[in-house]
Structure formats: C-alpha cells, structure tokens
Amino acid sequence: MFVDDPGDALRRAGELNDEVVSSLTTAPDDRKHTLEQGIANGDTEQLRIGLRQYRQILDRILAL
C-alpha cells in the first residue's frame, strides 16, 4: 500500500500505533480496577494474592 499511497499508509500506521498504545494502557487499568474490587474487604490471604497480581501486572508492562 505504501507504493500506491505513502501518505495514507503512514496515516494508517499512525492510527494502528495509537490503537495499540491505547489498549496497552486500558487493559492494565481495567485489571487494576477489577483487582481493587476483589480485595476491597479481603482477608490477609486475599490481600497477598492481590499483591502478587499487582506484581504480575507490572512485570508484564516492564517486559514490553
């Protein structure tokens, strides 16, 4: 497509980039919200599990 319309190819690549970046930020936010709801009134074991899940979220983000 670049050969036929370089400007459009660049625009579409930019849109795809924006979409991917948005999903990379939205997914962890959604997961954090779900996690916070699940541990709001949790016992010590639920809080420990929540802490591990936060660590997993950060590990995934930092692995990018």
Side-chain angles (χ1 to χ4, degrees), residues 17-64:
N17 184 70
D18 292 345
E19 184 179 324
V20 170
V21 169
S22 177
S23 70
L24 287 173
T25 58
T26 301
D29 285 344
D30 291 346
R31 179 67 186 118
K32 181 178 181 276
H33 179 72
T34 301
L35 181 58
E36 287 172 345
Q37 288 179 336
I39 62 172
N41 296 315
D43 61 14
T44 303
E45 180 60 14
Q46 289 173 316
L47 296 174
R48 184 189 69 79
I49 291 169
L51 186 59
R52 289 185 61 195
Q53 290 175 342
Y54 273 130
R55 182 184 302 158
Q56 290 172 351
I57 292 169
L58 286 174
D59 286 347
R60 288 180 188 157
I61 291 170
L62 295 174
L64 299 174

